């Protein structure tokens, strides 16, 4: 897919089924290295970042094989992985590859990995990951391109770590590194996202002893050995679900978002209700219905259970359709407003002042050519395009494919006029 073309104006109606969570799958794939044994993992989302993670561990010597026709269940045998052998060019393409450091350190007492890539939201340091490794006794060195860590003779030792900032990545990496450390490790001021609980559950299924994941204090009682697992199922992707919820709020209609854990979406559901949308919950689904004009609200991003930074661009697109002024404040990352210029190309009126964007919505958006400057920004462009008059072309869609699978097909099935274009095919058709 090279480009997505959306002709806006259709309400969305129907049902969409949500994939496994990308940001849980990434650490779980890398954490499988720490087990040293065969793991079968279900509900793998077929998105490019996760496929890249699987490719990285395959390059390092793991056996990786999809065992179902949908390519969502994978068998990983990391027995023959060589530490420090990760391919730097691939590692630099995804953020989640930083979990290699915790996994290698846990199993081999040594890691050497390139610094990760991922979306450009400004500075994304790894000092809190390094702080945890050092507290466990590792000798840590890093420069602009690499990080290495080596456990002392006798291995890592349980410790207390107080994180200076709430970091999803550092919490998960510290948890993975500490599973085999001697004694107990206590992580304080830990992140509480559902994917942290998912990684802890996966490691516990493989013999680890982690308690308190999902709270701000996590205790990891070190174990001597981990084993593999016959089946671990990754939780559903709350950000993918939230994206479809924001989309139907922007276009009007009625969409059932299924195969989810509604509790993870409490914040999104309550914001949509505050705007005047109807959100009905079932055990594993929510239905969003919007028929009338929505009210403006303000949102500010916080660690879970607050409003997720990964939902802010999609809500900005939604706010462009709401009469009145909505404010979006970004508290987690320093440079996440790069997509605002793209929304402006569609006619959106937005003022940015420091970490707050004021969106003056309700004026019609008009189709234009816009870029998917990062993953969630790309999803925001689709939402804005669905609400705009005329044709919107979205370029640089590889950003979207990093974290969404079947997004064009799903929106089409919900009634959107949307298609994916491949340049090569296009040229061929024209010549024919
Ligand atoms: C993960 C997600 C990303 C999401 C983010 C916040 C993956 C692959 N990515 O990113 O989609 O937007 O969580 O929910 O799961 N920080 C430090 N030092 C550190 C680590 C982080 O200062 O060592 C800061 C960051 O700059 C940021 C904040 O802490 O300001 C939160 O970052 P963090 O939660 O670590 O995000 P990631 O794990 O990179």
């Amino acid at each position: 897919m090279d480009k997505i073309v959306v002709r806006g104006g259709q309400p969305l109606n129907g049902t969409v089924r949500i994939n496994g969570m990308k940001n849980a799958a990434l650490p779980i794939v890398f954490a499988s290295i720490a087990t040293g044994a065969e793991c079968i993992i279900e509900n793998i989302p077929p998105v490019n970042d996760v496929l890249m993670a699987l490719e990285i561990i395959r390059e390092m010597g793991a056996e990786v094989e999809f065992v179902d026709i949908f390519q969502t269940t994978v068998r990983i045998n990391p027995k023959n992985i060589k530490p420090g052998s990760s391919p730097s060019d691939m590692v630099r393409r995804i953020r989640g590859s930083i979990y290699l450091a915790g996994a290698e350190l846990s199993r081999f007492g040594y890691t050497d990995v390139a610094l990760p890539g991922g979306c450009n939201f400004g500075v994304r340091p790894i000092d809190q990951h390094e702080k945890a490794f050092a507290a466990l006794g590792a000798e840590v060195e890093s420069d602009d391109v690499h990080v290495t860590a080596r456990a002392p003779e006798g291995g890592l030792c349980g410790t207390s770590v107080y994180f200076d900032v709430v970091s999803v990545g550092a919490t998960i990496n510290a948890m993975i590194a500490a599973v085999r450390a001697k004694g107990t490790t206590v992580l304080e001021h830990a992140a509480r996202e559902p994917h942290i609980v998912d990684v802890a559950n996966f490691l516990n299924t493989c013999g680890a002893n982690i308690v308190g994941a999902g709270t701000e204090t996590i205790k990891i009682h070190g174990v001597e050995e981990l084993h593999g697992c016959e089946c671990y199922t990754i939780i559903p992707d709350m950000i993918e679900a939230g994206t479809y919820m924001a989309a139907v709020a922007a276009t009007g209609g009625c969409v059932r978002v299924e195969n989810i854990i509604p509790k993870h979406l409490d914040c999104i559901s309550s914001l949509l209700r505050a705007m005047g949308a109807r959100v009905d919950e079932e055990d594993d689904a929510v239905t969003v219905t919007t028929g009338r004009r929505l009210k403006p609200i303000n949102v500010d991003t916080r660690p879970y259970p607050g409003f997720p930074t990964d939902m802010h661009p999609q809500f900005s697109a939604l706010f462009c359709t709401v009469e009145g002024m909505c404010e979006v404040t970004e508290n987690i990352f320093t440079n996440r407003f790069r997509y605002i210029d793209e929304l402006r190309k569609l006619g959106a009126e937005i003022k940015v002042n420091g970490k707050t964007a004021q969106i003056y919505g309700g004026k019609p958006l008009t189709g234009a050519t816009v870029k998917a400057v990062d993953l969630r920004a790309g999803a925001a462009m689709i939402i804005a395009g669905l609400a705009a008059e005329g044709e919107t072309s979205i370029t640089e869609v590889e950003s979207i494919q990093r974290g969404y699978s079947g997004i064009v097909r799903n929106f089409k099935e919900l009634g959107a006029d949307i298609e994916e274009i491949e340049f090569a095919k296009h040229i061929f058709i024209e010549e024919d």
Side-chain angles (χ1 to χ4, degrees), residues 86-104:
S86 52
S88 299
D89 52 333
M90 291 161 84
V91 164
R92 285 195 190 100
R93 285 165 69 175
I94 58 172
R95 184 78 198 161
S97 52
I98 189 62
Y99 300 124
L100 268 171
E104 286 189 330

Side-chain angles (χ1 to χ4, degrees), residues 22-23 26 95-96 99 121 123-129 165-170 193 195 309-310 332-333 336:
K22 168 181 86 75
N23 286 351
L26 288 167
R95 184 78 198 161
Y99 300 124
F121 308 145
V123 199
R124 296 182 78 173
I126 58 157
D127 58 306
Q128 298 302 304
H129 304 239
V165 291
V166 178
S167 160
V168 171
E193 269 69 1
H195 32 304
T309 175
D310 284 355
I332 310 290
F333 291 110
R336 206 166 183 169

Side-chain angles (χ1 to χ4, degrees), residues 170-187:
T171 301
I172 292 178
N173 232 348
M175 218 163 61
I176 299 171
V179 277
R180 291 162 187 260
K182 286 190 189 63
T184 296
T185 300
V186 183
L187 306 179

Side-chain angles (χ1 to χ4, degrees), residues 111-159:
T111 183
D112 178 0
V113 287
L115 291 186
C119 292
N120 174 5
F121 308 145
V123 199
R124 296 182 78 173
I126 58 157
D127 58 306
Q128 298 302 304
H129 304 239
E130 294 178 352
K131 176 178 171 170
F133 297 160
L136 287 161
E139 198 176 302
V140 185
E141 280 180 32
S142 63
D143 55 25
D144 290 347
V145 285
H146 257 77
V147 57
T148 62
R150 190 180 290 279
E153 229 162 272
L156 299 174
C157 268
T159 185

